[in-house]
Amino acid sequence: MQSREIRKQFLDFFKKQAHVIIPSASLVPKNDPSVLFTTAGMQQFKSYYISKADAQKDLNSLNVASSQKCVRTSDIEEVGDKSHLTFFEMLGNFSFGGYWKKEAIEYAHELITKDFGLKIDFISVFGGADNIPEDKESADIWKSIDSSIIIKKFGREDNFWGPTGEEGPCGPTTEIYVGGIEIWNIVFNEYYQSRDKELTPLKIRGVDTGMGLERLTFVTQGVSSAFETDLFESIIKRIKDISSVSEEKAERIVSDHIRTSVFMIADGVIASNTGRGYILRRLIRRAVRYADILGIAPGELFHVARSVILKYRDIYPELAKSSERIEKEILAEENKFRKTLREGLKQFEKGVDSFILFTTYGFPIELTEEIAREKGGIVDKDKFYKQLKEHQELSRKSSGQKFKK
Ligand code: GLY
């Protein structure tokens, strides 16, 4: 089954169960300044879980489903193995006081085992921790559906989810494992976690589920990594076409980072030295370094961007709409980086400070660190951040004095 059908089958299933299908929100969250990017399907619905908005009025239902564009870059160094990605689509069904554990678990079981025909390895439930009780109810529901199912109990680290950002809804989870990996996380939002990490019960109980389309596709297609699914097939093929060297890890990194960059630029992110722009810059610059390993000629990475746009433009029309801008931005950032890379590397060899490499040559600290690691050295990160803070304070002060000159 192709990824397109998998995505559709998920949404059709929930449509049949009287869910309203909601389009993906932007990767740049509108109402949540505490996070740089949308990292989960529930993020656009946060206000419904905490009764700040009325889903029945706004969305015409208490139960909705979506396929949400998400970016998570905390594991960027792991990209290249079989499952880590910086961009993914999260399939999710959500309820804001509509249904609860029984329906959520029954839906998940039916969809996974019947519609997708997959065999569940085991499921996990919250075993209780920090005065939050064990989730016996979910375990009982699973047993009533399938008495032979294997149930594992995990603690707060594994089976308690949220909040996204510094505060928000959260709760115990039950998770489904297939093909040796966790594929579906079903969250029962019962609490609100404040900035000082205190939990208070929510007025309404909500369901928030998240299943990565890439992982689901990977187990459904019976391949051995997300990069072998049809989601990446044409992108990896394009990379191979323009490479002179074959190196699996580098191909995976280039495909992942350019895919993420394309979606970020389409949602309005521009490469820069701060915030979201810095993440985009880091992704493109990392892609350039791995493109070099593959022997891809300078200025050719936009071809990879084009293959991403071609793959996704029917599902996410914003890519087709901004295709020219996306390719230009990637090419411009690549060129800018190449100009400084050669000079920066020379300075690096001379032992120039990582802060100077950042301010003068545009080397992200992580890149300096990676190059240092390759060469068997280390970088003093604490010193870098101290210098950065001083620099920021100084420029704040001087910009305040601008008019007094
Ligand atoms: N919101 C559930 C998840 O991200 O897994």
Side-chain angles (χ1 to χ4, degrees), residues 70-352:
C70 296
V71 163
R72 292 185 189 173
T73 55
S74 51
D75 290 332
I76 189 169
E77 314 259 331
E78 309 293 327
V79 174
D81 69 2
K82 63 180 185 172
S83 61
H84 279 92
L85 301 167
T86 56
F87 169 89
F88 58 96
E89 288 174 79
M90 189 177 272
L91 303 170
N93 56 296
F94 310 90
S95 185
F96 320 108
Y99 57 88
W100 187 233
K101 295 184 179 176
K102 185 171 182 298
E103 295 86 338
I105 293 173
E106 282 173 356
Y107 289 150
H109 179 264
E110 184 179 334
L111 187 58
I112 291 295
T113 60
K114 301 212 172 85
D115 296 56
F116 290 126
L118 295 168
K119 190 185 166 318
I120 295 176
D121 300 339
F122 66 90
I123 61 102
S124 64
V125 296
F126 181 59
D130 307 334
N131 294 325
I132 311 164
E134 168 183 350
D135 185 5
K136 284 206 183 85
E137 191 183 347
S138 290
D140 289 344
I141 296 167
W142 279 112
K143 281 282 174 206
S144 73
I145 297 172
D146 177 357
S147 58
S148 66
I149 205 155
I150 300 167
I151 299 177
K152 299 191 183 183
K153 290 181 191 172
F154 294 138
R156 194 147 178 189
E157 247 329 89
D158 296 297
N159 275 67
F160 194 93
W161 197 87
T164 57
E166 280 158 19
E167 60 184 320
C170 58
T173 69
T174 179
E175 303 182 13
I176 301 176
Y177 287 74
V178 173
I181 54 171
E182 181 234 312
I183 62 158
W184 203 347
N185 184 18
I186 297 158
V187 187
F188 300 116
N189 277 324
E190 302 184 60
Y191 302 102
Y192 189 89
Q193 183 174 302
S194 64
R195 274 167 195 260
D196 50 18
K197 307 229 176 305
E198 223 172 279
L199 294 181
T200 42
L202 285 170
K203 270 200 217 116
I204 55 156
R205 298 186 301 190
V207 172
D208 152 28
T209 88
M211 174 153 60
L213 173 69
E214 289 76 1
R215 283 188 175 202
L216 177 62
T217 306
F218 152 22
V219 296
T220 306
Q221 295 183 348
V223 289
S224 57
S225 88
F227 297 97
E228 285 159 43
T229 64
D230 73 285
L231 288 163
F232 278 93
E233 201 180 357
S234 55
I235 306 168
I236 299 261
K237 182 173 179 310
R238 196 75 191 104
I239 292 173
K240 283 186 182 293
D241 286 349
I242 58 172
S243 299
S244 57
V245 175
S246 170
E247 216 269 81
E248 188 178 62
K249 185 173 170 214
E251 287 163 4
R252 289 176 172 186
I253 292 173
V254 172
S255 64
D256 171 84
H257 289 10
I258 295 295
R259 190 173 76 128
T260 308
S261 303
V262 164
F263 277 96
M264 280 186 183
I265 299 168
D267 281 346
V269 182
I270 295 166
S272 74
N273 269 348
T274 54
R276 284 180 199 106
Y278 179 68
I279 310 261
L280 173 61
R281 170 156 286 169
R282 192 174 168 214
L283 285 165
I284 299 177
R285 295 190 167 196
R286 250 181 136 241
V288 172
R289 291 197 58 240
Y290 283 93
D292 284 351
I293 292 174
L294 293 169
I296 294 177
E300 295 284 287
L301 267 184
F302 80 91
H303 287 297
V304 184
R306 190 170 290 176
S307 70
V308 174
I309 296 167
L310 282 174
K311 175 71 193 168
Y312 285 97
R313 66 180 175 184
D314 297 346
I315 312 285
Y316 298 104
E318 63 271 29
L319 299 192
K321 242 174 50 199
S322 331
S323 61
E324 217 172 293
R325 190 169 56 79
I326 295 168
E327 289 180 21
K328 268 197 191 141
E329 170 86 9
I330 289 187
L331 186 61
E333 184 60 21
E334 177 181 356
N335 287 340
K336 208 182 281 174
F337 184 45
R338 286 196 183 283
K339 259 196 205 148
T340 58
L341 187 62
R342 194 184 300 224
E343 187 51 30
L345 278 173
K346 260 195 240 152
Q347 301 300 326
F348 177 89
E349 301 286 353
K350 282 192 208 157
V352 164

Side-chain angles (χ1 to χ4, degrees), residues 29-46:
K30 273 203 189 75
N31 307 317
D32 198 347
S34 67
V35 285
L36 286 179
F37 290 105
T38 297
T39 58
M42 61 79 71
Q43 232 161 303
Q44 68 165 323
F45 306 123
K46 251 177 153 176

